[in-house]
mmCIF file of all heavy atoms in Angstrom:
data_model
loop_
_atom_site.group_PDB
_atom_site.id
_atom_site.type_symbol
_atom_site.label_atom_id
_atom_site.label_comp_id
_atom_site.label_asym_id
_atom_site.label_seq_id
_atom_site.Cartn_x
_atom_site.Cartn_y
_atom_site.Cartn_z
ATOM 1 N N ARG A 21 20.641 95.369 37.300
ATOM 2 C CA ARG A 21 21.564 95.859 36.262
ATOM 3 C C ARG A 21 22.748 96.585 36.881
ATOM 4 O O ARG A 21 23.895 96.389 36.465
ATOM 5 C CB ARG A 21 20.832 96.773 35.280
ATOM 6 C CG ARG A 21 19.980 96.048 34.285
ATOM 7 C CD ARG A 21 19.518 96.979 33.186
ATOM 8 N NE ARG A 21 18.827 98.142 33.704
ATOM 9 C CZ ARG A 21 17.500 98.336 33.629
ATOM 10 N NH1 ARG A 21 16.738 97.437 33.048
ATOM 11 N NH2 ARG A 21 16.966 99.418 34.116
ATOM 12 N N THR A 22 22.491 97.422 37.865
ATOM 13 C CA THR A 22 23.562 98.165 38.514
ATOM 14 C C THR A 22 24.518 97.219 39.239
ATOM 15 O O THR A 22 25.740 97.368 39.159
ATOM 16 C CB THR A 22 22.982 99.195 39.499
ATOM 17 O OG1 THR A 22 22.074 100.041 38.799
ATOM 18 C CG2 THR A 22 24.074 100.030 40.137
ATOM 19 N N ALA A 23 23.971 96.229 39.925
ATOM 20 C CA ALA A 23 24.813 95.254 40.620
ATOM 21 C C ALA A 23 25.670 94.470 39.623
ATOM 22 O O ALA A 23 26.849 94.204 39.881
ATOM 23 C CB ALA A 23 23.952 94.304 41.443
ATOM 24 N N LEU A 24 25.114 94.115 38.466
ATOM 25 C CA LEU A 24 25.880 93.399 37.450
ATOM 26 C C LEU A 24 27.008 94.256 36.876
ATOM 27 O O LEU A 24 28.109 93.754 36.619
ATOM 28 C CB LEU A 24 24.972 92.906 36.330
ATOM 29 C CG LEU A 24 24.079 91.722 36.682
ATOM 30 C CD1 LEU A 24 23.106 91.433 35.541
ATOM 31 C CD2 LEU A 24 24.909 90.503 37.011
ATOM 32 N N VAL A 25 26.747 95.535 36.697
ATOM 33 C CA VAL A 25 27.791 96.439 36.200
ATOM 34 C C VAL A 25 28.925 96.547 37.220
ATOM 35 O O VAL A 25 30.099 96.484 36.867
ATOM 36 C CB VAL A 25 27.206 97.832 35.868
ATOM 37 C CG1 VAL A 25 28.293 98.864 35.665
ATOM 38 C CG2 VAL A 25 26.311 97.752 34.642
ATOM 39 N N VAL A 26 28.571 96.674 38.483
ATOM 40 C CA VAL A 26 29.587 96.785 39.533
ATOM 41 C C VAL A 26 30.404 95.495 39.613
ATOM 42 O O VAL A 26 31.638 95.530 39.705
ATOM 43 C CB VAL A 26 28.937 97.127 40.891
ATOM 44 C CG1 VAL A 26 29.941 97.021 42.022
ATOM 45 C CG2 VAL A 26 28.335 98.518 40.846
ATOM 46 N N GLN A 27 29.746 94.335 39.561
ATOM 47 C CA GLN A 27 30.453 93.060 39.611
ATOM 48 C C GLN A 27 31.355 92.888 38.392
ATOM 49 O O GLN A 27 32.456 92.353 38.504
ATOM 50 C CB GLN A 27 29.473 91.895 39.706
ATOM 51 C CG GLN A 27 28.753 91.798 41.043
ATOM 52 C CD GLN A 27 29.696 91.622 42.202
ATOM 53 O OE1 GLN A 27 29.951 92.556 42.941
ATOM 54 N NE2 GLN A 27 30.214 90.441 42.370
ATOM 55 N N THR A 28 30.913 93.340 37.246
ATOM 56 C CA THR A 28 31.734 93.265 36.041
ATOM 57 C C THR A 28 32.974 94.142 36.179
ATOM 58 O O THR A 28 34.077 93.734 35.792
ATOM 59 C CB THR A 28 30.914 93.658 34.798
ATOM 60 O OG1 THR A 28 29.788 92.785 34.707
ATOM 61 C CG2 THR A 28 31.733 93.584 33.535
ATOM 62 N N CYS A 29 32.820 95.315 36.739
ATOM 63 C CA CYS A 29 33.978 96.191 36.976
ATOM 64 C C CYS A 29 34.960 95.538 37.946
ATOM 65 O O CYS A 29 36.182 95.606 37.745
ATOM 66 C CB CYS A 29 33.523 97.536 37.525
ATOM 67 S SG CYS A 29 32.663 98.555 36.324
ATOM 68 N N ASP A 30 34.450 94.884 38.989
ATOM 69 C CA ASP A 30 35.323 94.170 39.922
ATOM 70 C C ASP A 30 36.062 93.043 39.211
ATOM 71 O O ASP A 30 37.250 92.810 39.468
ATOM 72 C CB ASP A 30 34.510 93.602 41.085
ATOM 73 C CG ASP A 30 34.004 94.681 42.025
ATOM 74 O OD1 ASP A 30 34.601 95.774 42.054
ATOM 75 O OD2 ASP A 30 33.014 94.422 42.730
ATOM 76 N N ALA A 31 35.386 92.340 38.309
ATOM 77 C CA ALA A 31 36.019 91.252 37.560
ATOM 78 C C ALA A 31 37.135 91.780 36.674
ATOM 79 O O ALA A 31 38.210 91.169 36.580
ATOM 80 C CB ALA A 31 34.971 90.516 36.719
ATOM 81 N N VAL A 32 36.914 92.920 36.032
ATOM 82 C CA VAL A 32 37.946 93.521 35.182
ATOM 83 C C VAL A 32 39.141 93.949 36.023
ATOM 84 O O VAL A 32 40.303 93.732 35.635
ATOM 85 C CB VAL A 32 37.364 94.708 34.376
ATOM 86 C CG1 VAL A 32 38.457 95.501 33.692
ATOM 87 C CG2 VAL A 32 36.348 94.205 33.367
ATOM 88 N N LEU A 33 38.882 94.541 37.171
ATOM 89 C CA LEU A 33 39.980 94.931 38.066
ATOM 90 C C LEU A 33 40.786 93.708 38.494
ATOM 91 O O LEU A 33 42.025 93.737 38.490
ATOM 92 C CB LEU A 33 39.435 95.627 39.310
ATOM 93 C CG LEU A 33 39.051 97.084 39.161
ATOM 94 C CD1 LEU A 33 38.390 97.589 40.436
ATOM 95 C CD2 LEU A 33 40.275 97.920 38.849
ATOM 96 N N CYS A 34 40.097 92.634 38.848
ATOM 97 C CA CYS A 34 40.798 91.408 39.237
ATOM 98 C C CYS A 34 41.637 90.871 38.091
ATOM 99 O O CYS A 34 42.760 90.415 38.302
ATOM 100 C CB CYS A 34 39.793 90.349 39.694
ATOM 101 S SG CYS A 34 39.275 90.555 41.398
ATOM 102 N N ARG A 35 41.095 90.911 36.890
ATOM 103 C CA ARG A 35 41.853 90.418 35.726
ATOM 104 C C ARG A 35 43.131 91.234 35.533
ATOM 105 O O ARG A 35 44.205 90.676 35.296
ATOM 106 C CB ARG A 35 40.979 90.481 34.482
ATOM 107 C CG ARG A 35 41.635 89.878 33.263
ATOM 108 C CD ARG A 35 40.662 89.816 32.101
ATOM 109 N NE ARG A 35 41.247 89.174 30.955
ATOM 110 C CZ ARG A 35 41.269 87.851 30.744
ATOM 111 N NH1 ARG A 35 40.713 87.052 31.621
ATOM 112 N NH2 ARG A 35 41.821 87.344 29.678
ATOM 113 N N LEU A 36 43.040 92.549 35.640
ATOM 114 C CA LEU A 36 44.215 93.404 35.480
ATOM 115 C C LEU A 36 45.249 93.161 36.572
ATOM 116 O O LEU A 36 46.445 93.027 36.298
ATOM 117 C CB LEU A 36 43.800 94.875 35.470
ATOM 118 C CG LEU A 36 43.012 95.342 34.257
ATOM 119 C CD1 LEU A 36 42.491 96.760 34.469
ATOM 120 C CD2 LEU A 36 43.865 95.274 33.006
ATOM 121 N N PHE A 37 44.799 93.118 37.830
ATOM 122 C CA PHE A 37 45.728 92.881 38.941
ATOM 123 C C PHE A 37 46.355 91.497 38.841
ATOM 124 O O PHE A 37 47.549 91.338 39.112
ATOM 125 C CB PHE A 37 45.033 93.045 40.289
ATOM 126 C CG PHE A 37 44.679 94.458 40.631
ATOM 127 C CD1 PHE A 37 43.505 94.751 41.295
ATOM 128 C CD2 PHE A 37 45.508 95.512 40.302
ATOM 129 C CE1 PHE A 37 43.166 96.050 41.626
ATOM 130 C CE2 PHE A 37 45.185 96.820 40.618
ATOM 131 C CZ PHE A 37 44.010 97.087 41.290
ATOM 132 N N ALA A 38 45.569 90.476 38.467
ATOM 133 C CA ALA A 38 46.104 89.123 38.336
ATOM 134 C C ALA A 38 47.152 89.070 37.229
ATOM 135 O O ALA A 38 48.215 88.469 37.399
ATOM 136 C CB ALA A 38 44.973 88.129 38.055
ATOM 137 N N HIS A 39 46.865 89.697 36.111
ATOM 138 C CA HIS A 39 47.821 89.720 35.003
ATOM 139 C C HIS A 39 49.119 90.407 35.415
ATOM 140 O O HIS A 39 50.212 89.900 35.155
ATOM 141 C CB HIS A 39 47.205 90.437 33.796
ATOM 142 C CG HIS A 39 48.170 90.642 32.676
ATOM 143 N ND1 HIS A 39 48.603 89.617 31.872
ATOM 144 C CD2 HIS A 39 48.806 91.766 32.239
ATOM 145 C CE1 HIS A 39 49.451 90.089 30.976
ATOM 146 N NE2 HIS A 39 49.592 91.393 31.187
ATOM 147 N N ASN A 40 49.017 91.531 36.064
ATOM 148 C CA ASN A 40 50.211 92.286 36.465
ATOM 149 C C ASN A 40 51.004 91.610 37.577
ATOM 150 O O ASN A 40 52.200 91.874 37.723
ATOM 151 C CB ASN A 40 49.819 93.697 36.901
ATOM 152 C CG ASN A 40 49.385 94.540 35.730
ATOM 153 O OD1 ASN A 40 49.755 94.288 34.592
ATOM 154 N ND2 ASN A 40 48.556 95.540 36.002
ATOM 155 N N ASN A 41 50.341 90.753 38.369
ATOM 156 C CA ASN A 41 51.023 90.123 39.493
ATOM 157 C C ASN A 41 51.361 88.659 39.245
ATOM 158 O O ASN A 41 51.845 87.973 40.141
ATOM 159 C CB ASN A 41 50.188 90.252 40.766
ATOM 160 C CG ASN A 41 50.126 91.683 41.236
ATOM 161 O OD1 ASN A 41 51.021 92.467 40.980
ATOM 162 N ND2 ASN A 41 49.057 92.036 41.917
ATOM 163 N N GLY A 42 51.085 88.141 38.045
ATOM 164 C CA GLY A 42 51.484 86.791 37.699
ATOM 165 C C GLY A 42 50.522 85.689 38.109
ATOM 166 O O GLY A 42 50.925 84.539 38.237
ATOM 167 N N TYR A 43 49.260 86.007 38.319
ATOM 168 C CA TYR A 43 48.262 85.014 38.698
ATOM 169 C C TYR A 43 47.364 84.703 37.495
ATOM 170 O O TYR A 43 47.345 85.433 36.511
ATOM 171 C CB TYR A 43 47.414 85.517 39.872
ATOM 172 C CG TYR A 43 48.207 85.625 41.154
ATOM 173 C CD1 TYR A 43 48.762 86.833 41.554
ATOM 174 C CD2 TYR A 43 48.420 84.512 41.953
ATOM 175 C CE1 TYR A 43 49.498 86.929 42.721
ATOM 176 C CE2 TYR A 43 49.151 84.600 43.124
ATOM 177 C CZ TYR A 43 49.686 85.806 43.503
ATOM 178 O OH TYR A 43 50.423 85.892 44.650
ATOM 179 N N SER A 44 46.610 83.630 37.619
ATOM 180 C CA SER A 44 45.719 83.195 36.547
ATOM 181 C C SER A 44 44.630 84.240 36.283
ATOM 182 O O SER A 44 43.829 84.558 37.181
ATOM 183 C CB SER A 44 45.066 81.863 36.925
ATOM 184 O OG SER A 44 44.041 81.547 36.023
ATOM 185 N N LYS A 45 44.604 84.753 35.050
ATOM 186 C CA LYS A 45 43.623 85.783 34.709
ATOM 187 C C LYS A 45 42.198 85.230 34.715
ATOM 188 O O LYS A 45 41.279 85.885 35.203
ATOM 189 C CB LYS A 45 43.933 86.398 33.347
ATOM 190 C CG LYS A 45 45.206 87.205 33.332
ATOM 191 C CD LYS A 45 45.418 87.907 32.014
ATOM 192 C CE LYS A 45 45.799 86.913 30.946
ATOM 193 N NZ LYS A 45 46.186 87.543 29.683
ATOM 194 N N ARG A 46 42.016 84.034 34.140
ATOM 195 C CA ARG A 46 40.665 83.450 34.075
ATOM 196 C C ARG A 46 40.097 83.179 35.461
ATOM 197 O O ARG A 46 38.949 83.494 35.751
ATOM 198 C CB ARG A 46 40.684 82.157 33.281
ATOM 199 C CG ARG A 46 40.838 82.367 31.815
ATOM 200 C CD ARG A 46 40.759 81.064 31.080
ATOM 201 N NE ARG A 46 41.022 81.278 29.668
ATOM 202 C CZ ARG A 46 41.046 80.318 28.791
ATOM 203 N NH1 ARG A 46 40.825 79.075 29.149
ATOM 204 N NH2 ARG A 46 41.299 80.592 27.530
ATOM 205 N N LEU A 47 40.906 82.578 36.303
ATOM 206 C CA LEU A 47 40.452 82.261 37.657
ATOM 207 C C LEU A 47 40.063 83.522 38.411
ATOM 208 O O LEU A 47 38.980 83.608 38.997
ATOM 209 C CB LEU A 47 41.543 81.507 38.422
ATOM 210 C CG LEU A 47 41.266 81.283 39.906
ATOM 211 C CD1 LEU A 47 40.101 80.323 40.082
ATOM 212 C CD2 LEU A 47 42.505 80.790 40.614
ATOM 213 N N TRP A 48 40.949 84.511 38.385
ATOM 214 C CA TRP A 48 40.686 85.721 39.159
ATOM 215 C C TRP A 48 39.585 86.587 38.556
ATOM 216 O O TRP A 48 38.913 87.314 39.272
ATOM 217 C CB TRP A 48 41.983 86.501 39.374
ATOM 218 C CG TRP A 48 42.754 85.866 40.481
ATOM 219 C CD1 TRP A 48 43.809 85.016 40.359
ATOM 220 C CD2 TRP A 48 42.490 85.984 41.874
ATOM 221 N NE1 TRP A 48 44.223 84.614 41.600
ATOM 222 C CE2 TRP A 48 43.434 85.186 42.550
ATOM 223 C CE3 TRP A 48 41.552 86.682 42.624
ATOM 224 C CZ2 TRP A 48 43.463 85.067 43.933
ATOM 225 C CZ3 TRP A 48 41.584 86.576 44.004
ATOM 226 C CH2 TRP A 48 42.525 85.781 44.642
ATOM 227 N N THR A 49 39.377 86.489 37.252
ATOM 228 C CA THR A 49 38.239 87.197 36.655
ATOM 229 C C THR A 49 36.939 86.611 37.187
ATOM 230 O O THR A 49 36.020 87.342 37.572
ATOM 231 C CB THR A 49 38.280 87.104 35.120
ATOM 232 O OG1 THR A 49 39.499 87.677 34.655
ATOM 233 C CG2 THR A 49 37.110 87.833 34.496
ATOM 234 N N ALA A 50 36.861 85.288 37.225
ATOM 235 C CA ALA A 50 35.665 84.628 37.751
ATOM 236 C C ALA A 50 35.471 84.930 39.236
ATOM 237 O O ALA A 50 34.356 85.236 39.681
ATOM 238 C CB ALA A 50 35.758 83.126 37.520
ATOM 239 N N LEU A 51 36.562 84.854 39.996
ATOM 240 C CA LEU A 51 36.468 85.163 41.420
ATOM 241 C C LEU A 51 36.044 86.619 41.648
ATOM 242 O O LEU A 51 35.262 86.910 42.553
ATOM 243 C CB LEU A 51 37.803 84.883 42.117
ATOM 244 C CG LEU A 51 38.192 83.416 42.243
ATOM 245 C CD1 LEU A 51 39.616 83.297 42.782
ATOM 246 C CD2 LEU A 51 37.213 82.665 43.105
#
Side-chain angles (χ1 to χ4, degrees):
R21 283 192 305 254
T22 304
L24 287 173
V25 167
V26 171
Q27 290 300 104
T28 302
C29 290
D30 289 337
V32 169
L33 280 174
C34 278
R35 185 173 183 85
L36 291 172
F37 289 143
H39 173 73
N40 289 336
N41 291 333
Y43 292 96
S44 170
K45 292 185 288 187
R46 287 184 185 179
L47 172 67
W48 281 100
T49 301
L51 290 172

